[in-house]
Amino acid sequence: MPSGARQLPLDLGHRPGQSRDHFVGSEENAAALSLIDNWPRWAAPLALLVGPAGSGKSHLLSIFCEEAEATDAAADYQGAIDAAERGQAIILDDADGMPLDQVALFHLINAVRSGGATLLMTARLLPAAWTVTLPDLISRLKTAAVVQIGEPGDMLLNAVVTKLFADRQIEIEPHVVQFITRRIERSLATAMSVVADIDRAALEQRRPITRTLVSEVLAASGRAS
């Protein structure tokens, strides 16, 4: 390869591990993880995980789905209603980030209650901020057990960045991880994007991931805080 030429990285479709073993527990998500662990001994049949993008909601939902053998309502509302009437667990991810079929969700919640089932949803905002206009659905959503997940602290953000590189089969020095987390927005969504940018730059430039490379990537992307 000629000097100075860049290697074009292949998109290998890096997928973060979604098993229980891959989950990074912390003070910020302890209540949410406890909710999953306490299933099916929930105080209410409807539960809602609320948190910012990248806070681990979908990962927790994946853990719950595997443990409870849950049916995904987003793929088939009627199928989920039928499953709920048989007492099966149901999930609905990103409830406030999709066009919501309010009537179908209302009937699903009723089926969950009458069938002795459980429904776990995730959202970025509390139900009061959703664009819900159906009064009966508003009433049903008020009965949900809501668990909020906060923005990550230092320990969680460091652990997540380390995990995101590990998902890409990259070992990274702890001091480089700390260098990254001290300079980016305190958001797991930002951490995921920054790790992808750093990995891409390292592959393109055929360089190790060092603080110098990280500085260049953050400066180029305007992500340094």
Side-chain angles (χ1 to χ4, degrees):
M1 180 178 293
S3 175
R6 292 191 172 189
Q7 176 182 358
L8 295 178
L10 296 175
D11 183 0
L12 300 178
H14 300 286
R15 292 179 58 84
Q18 293 292 299
S19 71
R20 177 62 180 266
D21 290 341
H22 288 105
F23 187 74
V24 180
S26 71
E27 180 180 351
E28 293 83 1
N29 57 39
L33 187 58
S34 178
L35 176 73
I36 304 299
D37 288 340
N38 285 328
W39 180 87
R41 302 176 302 278
W42 287 356
L46 174 60
L48 174 64
L49 299 179
V50 177
S55 60
K57 302 185 303 295
S58 294
H59 192 160
L60 285 162
L61 203 67
S62 177
I63 295 171
F64 175 78
C65 192
E66 181 176 353
E67 294 183 358
E69 298 182 352
T71 296
D72 187 356
D76 179 5
Y77 264 108
Q78 186 55 55
I81 289 172
D82 293 341
E85 290 175 342
R86 296 192 299 269
Q88 295 182 14
I90 311 296
I91 61 168
L92 181 61
D93 196 13
D94 197 25
D96 61 340
M98 64 173 72
L100 193 61
D101 187 333
Q102 297 184 39
V103 173
L105 180 55
F106 169 70
H107 288 303
L108 174 60
I109 294 174
N110 283 346
V112 166
R113 295 171 66 177
S114 63
T118 49
L119 169 60
L120 178 61
M121 301 191 298
T122 71
R124 298 187 185 187
L125 303 173
L126 293 168
W130 300 6
T131 55
V132 174
T133 57
L134 185 65
D136 286 339
L137 177 57
I138 294 173
S139 177
R140 294 292 186 272
L141 290 173
K142 288 180 179 178
T143 68
V146 178
V147 177
Q148 293 186 264
I149 305 173
E151 291 287 5
D154 291 340
M155 291 182 62
L156 177 57
L157 196 58
N158 287 339
V160 167
V161 168
T162 301
K163 174 190 178 297
L164 290 170
F165 278 112
D167 287 338
R168 294 168 176 267
Q169 289 78 53
I170 299 171
E171 291 188 14
I172 185 166
E173 294 290 338
H175 70 89
V176 178
V177 172
Q178 293 174 9
F179 186 83
I180 295 169
T181 58
R182 289 172 181 168
R183 287 162 176 78
I184 64 173
E185 175 187 330
R186 305 193 66 76
S187 156
L188 298 185
T190 296
M192 289 187 284
S193 179
V194 165
V195 167
D197 290 345
I198 293 170
D199 184 22
R200 186 180 304 110
L203 288 171
E204 287 180 350
Q205 302 174 35
R206 310 183 83 180
R207 292 169 59 188
I209 297 176
T210 62
R211 288 187 294 181
T212 299
L213 177 64
V214 169
S215 292
E216 294 172 4
V217 171
L218 294 179
S221 64
R223 293 185 179 276
S225 61

